[in-house]
Amino acid sequence: MSIQQQTEPIAIALIGNPNTGKSTLFNALSGVRQRTGNYPGVTVEKKHGTFGVSDKAIELIDLPGSYSLAPRSPDEMVAVDVLLGRLPAERKPQAVLVILDAGNLERNLYILSQVLELRLPTVVALNMIDAAAEKGVTVDVPKLSERLGVPVIPTRANHGEGVQELREALANIEQLAPPEATSPFPPAFRDEVAGLQGQLVSRNVSTPRYLVERLLLDTSGYLESELKLGGDDFHQFIADARTRLKESGAPVPAVEAMSRYGWVRETLQGIVERKQVPPPLSDRLDRIMTHPVFGTIIFAVLMMAVFTAVFSDYIAGVPMGWIEGLFEFLGGVVGDNFAEGPFRSLLVDGVIAGVGGVLVFLPQICILFFFIAILEDCGYMARAAYLMDRLFSNVGLSGKSFIPLLSSFACAIPGVMATRVIENRRDRLITMLIAPLMSCSARIPVYVIMIAAFVPQYSFAGGLLNSHTLTFAGMYLVGVVTAVLVALVLKKTILRGATPPFVMELPSYKWPSIQTVLMRVVEKGWAFIYRAGTLIFASSVLVWAAAYYPHNEAIVAPEIERLAAVETELEQATDETKVAALEEEQAELQNHIDGALLRDSYLGRAGHWIEPAVRPLGWDWRIGCATIASFPAREVIIGTLGVIFDMGGDDEDTAPLQEKLQTATWDGTDKPLFNLPVALSVMVFFALCAQCAATLAAIKRETNSWRWPIFTFFYMTALAYIGAFIIYRIASFFTTT
Amino acid sequence: MKTLSTLQVGDRVTVSSIEGDDDISVRLLEMGLVPGVELTVVGYAPLGDPIEIELIGYRLSLRKSEASRVVIAD
């Protein structure tokens, strides 16, 4: 292929406002040849795509969607650092591709004005020309290109129109001269920048002119500390410059927006024509979608529809069945083809059962992300944040936390990843820390079996409500209410700070791009598989080892002997009833052996060891043991309980396990082990605990620090313990009197 | 002094200035709320906050606390 002939591809950075179709364009240009990752030290996603055109290879660096190149935090600094070639891990781009929304040029040109000052060869993609026409906006493209001094290519990225032309323009980008330096700032400001630059030179610091301007404009002091330009006298120099600017009528920071929007108006003079047209469909839709009454109803209906799809047996249930079947099949194949021993046990009980137990949730995650991607791409999610903001601001968060928390009902891992939409660091952290409290699908098996076995079934309100559904809903509520309280406490204690501003664009509605939606689903699904494959894998192996060793078969010697005898008898037996009886005895013996070995294992011993700690929750050592085993993933508790109670861990049908749990008694007594208070205590514990290693790993990755996952683990475990204790005491009080 | 947070749905007004010089005011300026710009109040969210406005051909939502920084010309 011609791509390989080039030594190094041309590096081009892609930048533009959010909601301009940037990711659609990125996907259309680079197709499937993409790489994603994280920039070290920050939560900004790093996305690279490569493609070839006219014998040239091009590498596109997707920068986060942004309204301005004015860094006030490390995350915002990334785009500027990449463009100025200040990141060691990233090549300095040779050129910039700026994407503009043709229907919204006035605001979109703001960031272009900043990009042009970087003096890199620039190409403009004028996107969504069709949507602009619908709004009655027409743009004189040749004239715009002439005034900006850079090529302007009209595109409709979602239809693939103009993409080829854009590719060709990018292939020739090296021959382009950098745009002329036309600073929109008033002379007084330029003089101060020159003075400041002189100061820097006298201190032997070479800083790009763009950053010198920013240094003067950034009143937050972030850039000053970031550039490590020490010295009080230097700080004083900047402060004096700002005072002079204020006196001369160019106050910092307002001068920048005023100058740039002035330049924008001049540039667009006579180029953009706005015809009076009847309000476009998008505006009429918005009337309804954000209407106090209809908007709320539509919102509730949409959310219910999404949840129904995610949790319905007919949609998600079918592929989940396939995955379960696949792992059962795999377990069977391995079980039949390997000799009995530690290795087979590791594969079947450790790896296949562990990873399979988590991967079974993949369909739910994909379905949820399919809907979220559609709602996001068509512009509804911004409305959801708008509608929910007032509620979230009560807890000191903003409506932007809504999407991540919604995702967490399927699984906290994509929820934690989705916190990237929140710019404010403190908000993002809090949302990440409370996301695992949303009842994810892994808790469902725990709820289902406990409710079915121990919650008495009765219906009321004419059959509309019944105790089982209410308990189930109650568990979700426990998580949500706790999350609210935790958010409030965090906001008042370790993550104190002013409520961040809520200033959010409400983009026009548009048809979602199928490609963008599918790519998002694949991306999230893959991230989930990756985590399940690495972390769950590792912890499954560890828990397996704890549950397998020391594997002292001497303690079950008589049973093993009897089992061997049964097996030989089985081989000779021909009588049907006898075969059935022998098979039953064989299974019983096998379960008894497995159970005895587990009870004697390190995990079993650990269970005994922590029994005093779990007694106040109404639990015995066996429940404690299953809880330890479910550290990698909550749903593991069901399988472990199965093994402990001599049921076999891979029992598909939960009815026998239910029965076993109902008849289980405290060791050496006939007092039932489980009752309603114990079941509630187990459910509440699992609703609140941090028993999911993969989520903790996701938090580690997103925050780039061990501090927050460790914090999450301890605070959630403490909450789970306290919650379980309280519910056990309350429920015991009511059931005994 | 009249601010954006006190307006009725459908009001069409001109921005005269933004109060303060912190991050929030910079953000508002960057989003196009510069002196001389015309805006229309499109609506309020169901619980009365945030507010939705239209300016320079797009829609923006902001909380009343932020909107009270936007001073409106009489």
Side-chain angles (χ1 to χ4, degrees), chain A residues 434-475:
Chain A
I434 63 172
L437 286 169
M438 303 293 122
S439 267
C440 66
S441 40
R443 276 129 162 157
I444 295 173
V446 186
Y447 298 161
V448 165
I449 198 154
M450 288 293 152
I451 291 176
F454 302 106
V455 175
Q457 170 123 29
Y458 51 90
S459 46
F460 40 91
L464 268 176
L465 296 171
N466 80 61
S467 53
H468 281 192
T469 4
L470 277 184
T471 315
F472 197 76
M475 287 304 136

Tab-separated table of all heavy atoms in Angstrom, chain A residues 434-475:
chain	number	residue	atom	x	y	z
A	434	ILE	N	-19.505	8.446	43.329
A	434	ILE	CA	-20.844	7.962	43.696
A	434	ILE	C	-21.434	7.057	42.616
A	434	ILE	O	-22.423	6.373	42.857
A	434	ILE	CB	-21.830	9.109	44.035
A	434	ILE	CG1	-22.078	10.004	42.821
A	434	ILE	CG2	-21.353	9.900	45.231
A	434	ILE	CD1	-23.185	11.020	43.046
A	435	ALA	N	-20.815	7.024	41.445
A	435	ALA	CA	-21.347	6.194	40.354
A	435	ALA	C	-21.512	4.718	40.757
A	435	ALA	O	-22.527	4.111	40.424
A	435	ALA	CB	-20.472	6.321	39.109
A	436	PRO	N	-20.538	4.125	41.512
A	436	PRO	CA	-20.710	2.707	41.852
A	436	PRO	C	-21.878	2.450	42.810
A	436	PRO	O	-22.208	1.300	43.065
A	436	PRO	CB	-19.380	2.335	42.526
A	436	PRO	CG	-18.431	3.429	42.213
A	436	PRO	CD	-19.229	4.649	41.953
A	437	LEU	N	-22.498	3.512	43.352
A	437	LEU	CA	-23.645	3.298	44.244
A	437	LEU	C	-24.936	3.085	43.468
A	437	LEU	O	-25.935	2.628	44.010
A	437	LEU	CB	-23.811	4.495	45.194
A	437	LEU	CG	-22.782	4.582	46.313
A	437	LEU	CD1	-22.869	5.916	47.012
A	437	LEU	CD2	-22.986	3.455	47.310
A	438	MET	N	-24.927	3.447	42.181
A	438	MET	CA	-26.101	3.187	41.361
A	438	MET	C	-26.173	1.669	41.175
A	438	MET	O	-25.171	1.039	40.811
A	438	MET	CB	-25.969	3.844	39.983
A	438	MET	CG	-25.741	5.342	40.020
A	438	MET	SD	-27.155	6.212	40.657
A	438	MET	CE	-26.422	7.066	42.033
A	439	SER	N	-27.342	1.082	41.397
A	439	SER	CA	-27.442	-0.371	41.336
A	439	SER	C	-27.207	-0.888	39.919
A	439	SER	O	-28.050	-0.759	39.051
A	439	SER	CB	-28.807	-0.820	41.828
A	439	SER	OG	-28.732	-1.112	43.189
A	440	CYS	N	-26.041	-1.467	39.695
A	440	CYS	CA	-25.702	-1.954	38.363
A	440	CYS	C	-26.274	-3.345	38.148
A	440	CYS	O	-26.773	-3.979	39.074
A	440	CYS	CB	-24.190	-1.993	38.182
A	440	CYS	SG	-23.391	-3.194	39.233
A	441	SER	N	-26.188	-3.828	36.932
A	441	SER	CA	-26.838	-5.106	36.622
A	441	SER	C	-26.205	-6.283	37.361
A	441	SER	O	-26.837	-7.307	37.530
A	441	SER	CB	-26.840	-5.340	35.119
A	441	SER	OG	-25.638	-4.939	34.551
A	442	ALA	N	-24.960	-6.133	37.826
A	442	ALA	CA	-24.317	-7.237	38.538
A	442	ALA	C	-24.994	-7.518	39.873
A	442	ALA	O	-24.858	-8.599	40.432
A	442	ALA	CB	-22.845	-6.930	38.768
A	443	ARG	N	-25.734	-6.523	40.398
A	443	ARG	CA	-26.408	-6.759	41.678
A	443	ARG	C	-27.709	-7.526	41.489
A	443	ARG	O	-28.252	-8.072	42.444
A	443	ARG	CB	-26.742	-5.445	42.367
A	443	ARG	CG	-25.576	-4.874	43.169
A	443	ARG	CD	-25.377	-3.464	42.785
A	443	ARG	NE	-24.595	-2.687	43.715
A	443	ARG	CZ	-23.963	-1.592	43.334
A	443	ARG	NH1	-24.023	-1.196	42.089
A	443	ARG	NH2	-23.274	-0.890	44.190
A	444	ILE	N	-28.214	-7.533	40.251
A	444	ILE	CA	-29.530	-8.135	40.023
A	444	ILE	C	-29.606	-9.585	40.500
A	444	ILE	O	-30.532	-9.933	41.224
A	444	ILE	CB	-29.946	-7.981	38.545
A	444	ILE	CG1	-30.132	-6.501	38.240
A	444	ILE	CG2	-31.232	-8.737	38.260
A	444	ILE	CD1	-30.387	-6.201	36.784
A	445	PRO	N	-28.615	-10.441	40.135
A	445	PRO	CA	-28.714	-11.832	40.591
A	445	PRO	C	-28.803	-11.938	42.111
A	445	PRO	O	-29.544	-12.767	42.636
A	445	PRO	CB	-27.417	-12.471	40.094
A	445	PRO	CG	-26.848	-11.547	39.090
A	445	PRO	CD	-27.443	-10.212	39.295
A	446	VAL	N	-28.061	-11.072	42.834
A	446	VAL	CA	-28.088	-11.112	44.296
A	446	VAL	C	-29.492	-10.753	44.778
A	446	VAL	O	-30.079	-11.460	45.609
A	446	VAL	CB	-27.053	-10.111	44.883
A	446	VAL	CG1	-26.989	-10.259	46.388
A	446	VAL	CG2	-25.688	-10.300	44.240
A	447	TYR	N	-30.044	-9.656	44.236
A	447	TYR	CA	-31.390	-9.240	44.643
A	447	TYR	C	-32.396	-10.339	44.316
A	447	TYR	O	-33.236	-10.691	45.128
A	447	TYR	CB	-31.820	-7.961	43.904
A	447	TYR	CG	-30.981	-6.737	44.167
A	447	TYR	CD1	-31.017	-5.657	43.288
A	447	TYR	CD2	-30.180	-6.632	45.303
A	447	TYR	CE1	-30.267	-4.511	43.519
A	447	TYR	CE2	-29.423	-5.493	45.536
A	447	TYR	CZ	-29.459	-4.435	44.638
A	447	TYR	OH	-28.726	-3.307	44.854
A	448	VAL	N	-32.306	-10.852	43.088
A	448	VAL	CA	-33.315	-11.804	42.620
A	448	VAL	C	-33.390	-13.005	43.548
A	448	VAL	O	-34.465	-13.384	44.014
A	448	VAL	CB	-33.026	-12.247	41.166
A	448	VAL	CG1	-33.837	-13.488	40.810
A	448	VAL	CG2	-33.339	-11.113	40.206
A	449	ILE	N	-32.236	-13.580	43.867
A	449	ILE	CA	-32.284	-14.819	44.644
A	449	ILE	C	-32.710	-14.557	46.091
A	449	ILE	O	-33.490	-15.306	46.668
A	449	ILE	CB	-30.947	-15.586	44.566
A	449	ILE	CG1	-31.191	-17.030	44.983
A	449	ILE	CG2	-29.872	-14.963	45.396
A	449	ILE	CD1	-30.218	-17.987	44.396
A	450	MET	N	-32.249	-13.454	46.665
A	450	MET	CA	-32.611	-13.153	48.055
A	450	MET	C	-34.103	-12.831	48.158
A	450	MET	O	-34.788	-13.285	49.082
A	450	MET	CB	-31.792	-11.955	48.561
A	450	MET	CG	-30.335	-12.292	48.792
A	450	MET	SD	-30.150	-13.437	50.158
A	450	MET	CE	-28.644	-14.267	49.711
A	451	ILE	N	-34.600	-12.052	47.222
A	451	ILE	CA	-36.014	-11.677	47.259
A	451	ILE	C	-36.885	-12.917	47.058
A	451	ILE	O	-37.823	-13.172	47.807
A	451	ILE	CB	-36.322	-10.598	46.193
A	451	ILE	CG1	-35.666	-9.274	46.577
A	451	ILE	CG2	-37.832	-10.409	46.055
A	451	ILE	CD1	-35.831	-8.164	45.559
A	452	ALA	N	-36.531	-13.707	46.047
A	452	ALA	CA	-37.347	-14.880	45.740
A	452	ALA	C	-37.394	-15.836	46.922
A	452	ALA	O	-38.416	-16.455	47.204
A	452	ALA	CB	-36.812	-15.580	44.500
A	453	ALA	N	-36.273	-15.966	47.641
A	453	ALA	CA	-36.217	-16.957	48.704
A	453	ALA	C	-36.779	-16.454	50.030
A	453	ALA	O	-37.339	-17.238	50.793
A	453	ALA	CB	-34.780	-17.442	48.900
A	454	PHE	N	-36.651	-15.173	50.318
A	454	PHE	CA	-36.957	-14.745	51.693
A	454	PHE	C	-37.972	-13.624	51.847
A	454	PHE	O	-38.395	-13.338	52.953
A	454	PHE	CB	-35.655	-14.360	52.406
A	454	PHE	CG	-34.684	-15.477	52.440
A	454	PHE	CD1	-33.562	-15.475	51.616
A	454	PHE	CD2	-34.908	-16.574	53.267
A	454	PHE	CE1	-32.684	-16.536	51.633
A	454	PHE	CE2	-34.029	-17.630	53.280
A	454	PHE	CZ	-32.913	-17.624	52.462
A	455	VAL	N	-38.345	-12.947	50.764
A	455	VAL	CA	-39.330	-11.881	50.932
A	455	VAL	C	-40.712	-12.482	50.684
A	455	VAL	O	-40.968	-13.023	49.622
A	455	VAL	CB	-39.064	-10.711	49.962
A	455	VAL	CG1	-40.164	-9.663	50.070
A	455	VAL	CG2	-37.709	-10.088	50.260
A	456	PRO	N	-41.578	-12.427	51.696
A	456	PRO	CA	-42.905	-12.997	51.495
A	456	PRO	C	-43.631	-12.267	50.366
A	456	PRO	O	-43.541	-11.043	50.244
A	456	PRO	CB	-43.609	-12.765	52.840
A	456	PRO	CG	-42.766	-11.817	53.599
A	456	PRO	CD	-41.387	-11.842	53.027
A	457	GLN	N	-44.290	-13.038	49.530
A	457	GLN	CA	-44.937	-12.436	48.361
A	457	GLN	C	-46.386	-12.093	48.684
A	457	GLN	O	-47.175	-12.955	49.055
A	457	GLN	CB	-44.906	-13.420	47.188
A	457	GLN	CG	-45.747	-12.984	46.010
A	457	GLN	CD	-44.934	-12.876	44.747
A	457	GLN	OE1	-43.942	-13.575	44.585
A	457	GLN	NE2	-45.332	-12.012	43.858
A	458	TYR	N	-46.710	-10.836	48.578
A	458	TYR	CA	-48.126	-10.462	48.649
A	458	TYR	C	-48.305	-9.197	47.824
A	458	TYR	O	-47.381	-8.399	47.676
A	458	TYR	CB	-48.602	-10.267	50.099
A	458	TYR	CG	-47.758	-9.355	50.932
A	458	TYR	CD1	-48.021	-7.982	50.974
A	458	TYR	CD2	-46.697	-9.867	51.682
A	458	TYR	CE1	-47.238	-7.148	51.753
A	458	TYR	CE2	-45.908	-9.028	52.459
A	458	TYR	CZ	-46.187	-7.674	52.488
A	458	TYR	OH	-45.408	-6.848	53.240
A	459	SER	N	-49.481	-9.052	47.240
A	459	SER	CA	-49.705	-7.867	46.417
A	459	SER	C	-50.778	-6.995	47.037
A	459	SER	O	-51.606	-7.464	47.820
A	459	SER	CB	-50.078	-8.268	44.998
A	459	SER	OG	-51.030	-9.282	45.017
A	460	PHE	N	-50.712	-5.736	46.712
A	460	PHE	CA	-51.727	-4.805	47.216
A	460	PHE	C	-51.989	-3.752	46.154
A	460	PHE	O	-51.446	-3.843	45.047
A	460	PHE	CB	-51.322	-4.186	48.556
A	460	PHE	CG	-49.878	-3.835	48.644
A	460	PHE	CD1	-49.440	-2.581	48.283
A	460	PHE	CD2	-48.950	-4.777	49.091
A	460	PHE	CE1	-48.102	-2.251	48.368
A	460	PHE	CE2	-47.598	-4.452	49.168
A	460	PHE	CZ	-47.189	-3.186	48.806
A	461	ALA	N	-52.775	-2.747	46.482
A	461	ALA	CA	-53.216	-1.715	45.527
A	461	ALA	C	-53.814	-2.388	44.293
A	461	ALA	O	-53.499	-2.051	43.153
A	461	ALA	CB	-52.083	-0.777	45.153
A	462	GLY	N	-54.653	-3.365	44.546
A	462	GLY	CA	-55.348	-4.043	43.451
A	462	GLY	C	-54.418	-4.818	42.533
A	462	GLY	O	-54.645	-4.900	41.336
A	463	GLY	N	-53.333	-5.324	43.093
A	463	GLY	CA	-52.413	-6.135	42.296
A	463	GLY	C	-51.400	-5.311	41.519
A	463	GLY	O	-50.532	-5.847	40.847
A	464	LEU	N	-51.508	-3.988	41.632
A	464	LEU	CA	-50.568	-3.137	40.900
A	464	LEU	C	-49.172	-3.219	41.513
A	464	LEU	O	-48.163	-3.160	40.809
A	464	LEU	CB	-51.043	-1.684	40.934
A	464	LEU	CG	-51.913	-1.241	39.767
A	464	LEU	CD1	-52.384	0.188	39.973
A	464	LEU	CD2	-51.153	-1.361	38.449
A	465	LEU	N	-49.139	-3.334	42.828
A	465	LEU	CA	-47.854	-3.385	43.513
A	465	LEU	C	-47.724	-4.733	44.186
A	465	LEU	O	-48.710	-5.301	44.650
A	465	LEU	CB	-47.802	-2.291	44.588
A	465	LEU	CG	-47.868	-0.852	44.088
A	465	LEU	CD1	-48.028	0.094	45.266
A	465	LEU	CD2	-46.624	-0.504	43.296
A	466	ASN	N	-46.512	-5.260	44.216
A	466	ASN	CA	-46.312	-6.423	45.068
A	466	ASN	C	-44.989	-6.327	45.790
A	466	ASN	O	-44.095	-5.574	45.394
A	466	ASN	CB	-46.508	-7.734	44.302
A	466	ASN	CG	-45.314	-8.122	43.485
A	466	ASN	OD1	-44.239	-8.336	44.016
A	466	ASN	ND2	-45.496	-8.207	42.186
A	467	SER	N	-44.893	-7.071	46.870
A	467	SER	CA	-43.767	-6.904	47.791
A	467	SER	C	-42.433	-7.183	47.106
A	467	SER	O	-41.426	-6.556	47.428
A	467	SER	CB	-43.953	-7.833	48.986
A	467	SER	OG	-44.160	-9.150	48.512
A	468	HIS	N	-42.420	-8.094	46.128
A	468	HIS	CA	-41.153	-8.405	45.466
A	468	HIS	C	-40.635	-7.249	44.627
A	468	HIS	O	-39.476	-6.861	44.744
A	468	HIS	CB	-41.307	-9.671	44.605
A	468	HIS	CG	-41.243	-10.928	45.405
A	468	HIS	ND1	-41.109	-12.170	44.850
A	468	HIS	CD2	-41.283	-11.124	46.741
A	468	HIS	CE1	-41.069	-13.083	45.816
A	468	HIS	NE2	-41.182	-12.465	46.964
A	469	THR	N	-41.507	-6.693	43.780
A	469	THR	CA	-41.070	-5.557	42.955
A	469	THR	C	-40.685	-4.376	43.831
A	469	THR	O	-39.731	-3.660	43.545
A	469	THR	CB	-42.175	-5.093	41.984
A	469	THR	OG1	-43.333	-5.846	42.228
A	469	THR	CG2	-41.738	-5.228	40.554
A	470	LEU	N	-41.451	-4.165	44.898
A	470	LEU	CA	-41.167	-3.029	45.774
A	470	LEU	C	-39.807	-3.183	46.447
A	470	LEU	O	-39.052	-2.217	46.544
A	470	LEU	CB	-42.248	-2.884	46.839
A	470	LEU	CG	-43.505	-2.141	46.386
A	470	LEU	CD1	-44.458	-1.988	47.556
A	470	LEU	CD2	-43.142	-0.779	45.818
A	471	THR	N	-39.478	-4.386	46.888
A	471	THR	CA	-38.176	-4.605	47.521
A	471	THR	C	-37.070	-4.358	46.501
A	471	THR	O	-36.056	-3.724	46.796
A	471	THR	CB	-38.053	-6.044	48.054
A	471	THR	OG1	-39.269	-6.362	48.720
A	471	THR	CG2	-36.895	-6.186	48.991
A	472	PHE	N	-37.318	-4.860	45.289
A	472	PHE	CA	-36.341	-4.677	44.207
A	472	PHE	C	-36.109	-3.190	43.956
A	472	PHE	O	-34.968	-2.715	43.929
A	472	PHE	CB	-36.894	-5.361	42.943
A	472	PHE	CG	-35.871	-5.606	41.887
A	472	PHE	CD1	-34.961	-6.634	42.019
A	472	PHE	CD2	-35.825	-4.816	40.754
A	472	PHE	CE1	-34.006	-6.873	41.043
A	472	PHE	CE2	-34.878	-5.039	39.785
A	472	PHE	CZ	-33.968	-6.072	39.921
A	473	ALA	N	-37.214	-2.445	43.792
A	473	ALA	CA	-37.105	-1.000	43.576
A	473	ALA	C	-36.448	-0.329	44.773
A	473	ALA	O	-35.663	0.607	44.625
A	473	ALA	CB	-38.482	-0.403	43.323
A	474	GLY	N	-36.771	-0.855	45.974
A	474	GLY	CA	-36.210	-0.290	47.191
A	474	GLY	C	-34.693	-0.357	47.208
A	474	GLY	O	-34.018	0.574	47.664
A	475	MET	N	-34.134	-1.438	46.677
A	475	MET	CA	-32.680	-1.589	46.630
A	475	MET	C	-32.061	-0.521	45.724
A	475	MET	O	-31.011	0.025	46.021
A	475	MET	CB	-32.315	-2.984	46.118
A	475	MET	CG	-32.572	-4.062	47.138
A	475	MET	SD	-31.701	-3.699	48.668
A	475	MET	CE	-32.955	-4.060	49.875
